[in-house]
Amino acid sequence: MNQTLILTQPAVRGKAATFEELVQKHYRQAYNIAYRISGSATDAEDLTQEALIRAYQSFERYQPELPFANWLYRIIANLHVDELRRRGRARVESIDACEAFADIPDYTSDPADRVLSRELDGTLQQALDALSPDFRTAVTLCDIEGLSYEEIADIMRCSLGTVRSRVHRGRKQMRKLLGVP
Amino acid sequence: MNCGRVSNQLSAYIDRELTGAEMLTIRRHLGDCDDCQAEYEALCRMKMLLGRLQSPSPGPDFVPATLRRWEGHAPAYAGIAAGSQWWTFLVGSLVDAWDRTVAIWLCQPAWAAGRFSLGAWRRPVVLATAALAAALVMTGVMLHQPRHADALIATSPLAVLEGQDPLNGPSNSEWVSLSQPGLSSPLSQPAGSQPALGWVNVSLHGDTFGSYR
């Protein structure tokens, strides 16, 4: 498709410029969410791109009372669930099967250690991957993105009580996987 | 409050998602229960570890790739002459509307489930809509040209010369129309002509289209 032709048409140029602005503003945070809940860089890119496009195309459905980023996260979460259903498998693994987790060192003693940080990131991501999709999404939105329970409930379309339960059980499972004392 | 209930609320306590009274109750219990206090500290440590995760970054080509992918979802404007902007807008709008309609009302459930690929339908839908739009535009262009004298009178400033016998009047090139600048009177007659009674010629820029009595 002739990109130059598209971008020079006034009716379309406005749309392209607006979409690019949308992407530039939100892609990093959206990618972070997508990466944490999908566990894969490739899946995260695909998830983020598709979510951005759908958010732009379905903008008439956006409700202003919800922050746009949260609405975008909702789309990402829904797309991820749809993708899991399409693949016909869940990401839930038995906690007992996660034998690769070693006791993590006391991270707080040397927070500037980059090597330790990278290893820890990988270990934490493995533990996240072992959670069920709902627990993983709830923990990611709460502890990584810092959203409130009410915002998480809006994104995941569930009650506050359900959010509270998912966050708590997700953290407990990760603590057990990682052997956090 | 017993340890079971406190344990279930520890995460909400850490996140400050409880009422003031509940926060106070749990705080008091933690002061008295070492097991719950230990669990509280472990959950705090877990939250802290997750909060310090490095934010991953996508590849450097992510934004351009996203724009290219969006273009794949955008209406097919390719092939339309760049100079005909209104034409491009019309065709593009029709294609966009059709594409959205199919995607949203017919295909979204299956699309969301990943069982339907809109791409397989895109080409025939686009071509059919483009053909329809072209036919509509050409019809509109043709209809825009006035063919009937009544329409001609209604749409164009004309010189109507009363009393001029159309059969014996001056040559067409001597008629004038209101569209010519410098015309002071709505009626002008060719030099030296004597209009016959009862006839009115209708002409536009020197071409006579009909005579009326």
Side-chain angles (χ1 to χ4, degrees):
Chain A
M1 186 172 293
N2 189 334
Q3 181 175 359
T4 303
L5 174 65
I6 290 174
L7 292 179
T8 53
Q9 303 306 316
V12 186
R13 184 174 59 240
K15 281 189 175 182
T18 304
F19 178 70
E20 185 172 358
E21 289 172 7
L22 178 76
V23 172
Q24 291 286 2
K25 189 175 180 182
H26 294 285
Y27 82 94
R28 287 186 182 83
Q29 211 167 0
Y31 179 83
N32 187 30
I33 297 281
Y35 181 82
R36 295 305 174 194
I37 67 174
S38 66
S40 156
T42 305
D43 288 347
E45 284 196 6
D46 187 63
L47 208 55
T48 306
Q49 288 175 350
E50 190 62 31
L52 286 166
I53 291 170
R54 294 208 184 187
Y56 184 75
Q57 291 182 332
S58 306
F59 193 74
E60 65 274 6
R61 299 183 184 181
Y62 167 57
Q63 298 170 348
E65 54 266 21
L66 185 70
F68 181 80
N70 292 4
W71 185 59
L72 184 60
Y73 299 159
R74 180 192 292 176
I75 296 174
I76 291 173
N78 289 340
L79 284 174
H80 177 59
V81 171
D82 291 341
E83 181 63 20
L84 291 180
R85 289 175 184 163
R86 189 185 70 83
R87 292 180 183 177
R89 61 180 173 86
R91 299 288 305 273
V92 179
E93 299 174 8
S94 168
I95 294 177
D96 295 335
C98 299
E99 300 173 352
F101 296 118
D103 290 339
I104 59 174
D106 185 5
Y107 183 68
T108 57
S109 66
D110 190 10
D113 191 333
R114 295 182 184 179
V115 174
L116 187 61
S117 174
R118 279 199 297 271
E119 290 178 356
L120 183 60
D121 281 3
T123 304
L124 283 172
Q125 186 59 47
Q126 287 183 39
L128 271 174
D129 290 346
L131 300 181
S132 70
D134 287 340
F135 290 3
R136 190 185 321 132
T137 301
V139 168
T140 298
L141 293 175
C142 183
D143 293 338
I144 299 177
E145 290 298 314
L147 301 181
S148 69
Y149 283 17
E150 187 175 356
E151 290 176 311
I152 296 172
D154 279 337
I155 293 170
M156 300 186 70
R157 302 210 175 198
C158 60
S159 66
L160 279 174
T162 302
V163 172
R164 186 183 298 183
S165 171
R166 288 176 178 174
V167 168
H168 184 62
R169 293 173 66 185
R171 284 177 183 163
K172 286 182 68 173
Q173 281 190 12
M174 286 200 65
R175 178 194 165 195
K176 191 171 182 178
L177 284 169
L178 295 170
V180 175
Chain B
M1 188 180 286
N2 59 41
C3 292
R5 287 190 63 185
V6 169
S7 175
N8 288 336
Q9 294 187 331
L10 278 179
S11 286
Y13 175 79
I14 292 170
D15 297 327
R16 303 290 191 267
E17 294 281 350
L18 296 175
T19 63
E22 290 172 327
M23 295 285 288
L24 193 59
T25 302
I26 291 178
R27 186 181 303 168
R28 286 175 182 164
H29 181 88
L30 292 177
D32 297 331
C33 180
D34 294 337
D35 290 338
C36 290
Q37 177 68 25
E39 186 177 358
Y40 163 75
E41 291 172 359
L43 289 172
C44 283
R45 215 166 10 249
M46 196 65 254
K47 180 178 174 70
M48 181 200 66
L49 286 172
L50 287 167
R52 298 178 75 168
L53 270 174
Q54 302 282 340
S55 296
S57 295
D61 191 49
F62 179 82
V63 174
T66 304
L67 297 178
R68 288 193 297 269
R69 185 166 177 166
W70 176 75
E71 288 172 17
H73 287 69
Y77 290 109
I80 305 299
S84 305
Q85 293 185 355
W86 67 269
W87 162 271
T88 304
F89 179 77
L90 176 64
V91 172
S93 298
L94 287 172
V95 171
D96 191 19
W98 177 259
D99 206 15
R100 282 170 176 259
T101 302
V102 171
I104 294 173
W105 295 107
L106 300 180
C107 307
Q108 188 175 21
W111 187 13
R115 295 193 299 271
F116 177 82
S117 173
L118 189 60
W121 284 52
R122 190 175 303 277
R123 182 177 292 274
V125 166
V126 166
L127 290 176
T129 306
L132 174 62
L136 288 173
V137 169
M138 291 307 298
T139 302
V141 170
M142 292 174 62
L143 289 176
H144 181 71
Q145 297 292 337
R147 296 296 181 205
H148 195 278
D150 289 338
L152 187 66
I153 294 171
T155 60
S156 304
L158 302 173
V160 178
L161 301 177
E162 292 186 354
Q164 187 70 37
D165 185 348
L167 297 179
N168 299 315
S171 63
N172 289 342
S173 61
E174 294 180 27
W175 295 96
V176 297
S177 76
L178 288 172
S179 63
Q180 291 185 5
L183 203 63
S184 59
S185 169
L187 298 176
S188 64
Q189 300 178 7
S193 64
Q194 292 294 327
L197 294 177
W199 285 96
V200 175
N201 274 353
V202 176
S203 65
L204 175 66
H205 300 296
D207 294 327
T208 300
F209 287 92
S211 301
Y212 293 83
R213 193 171 185 138

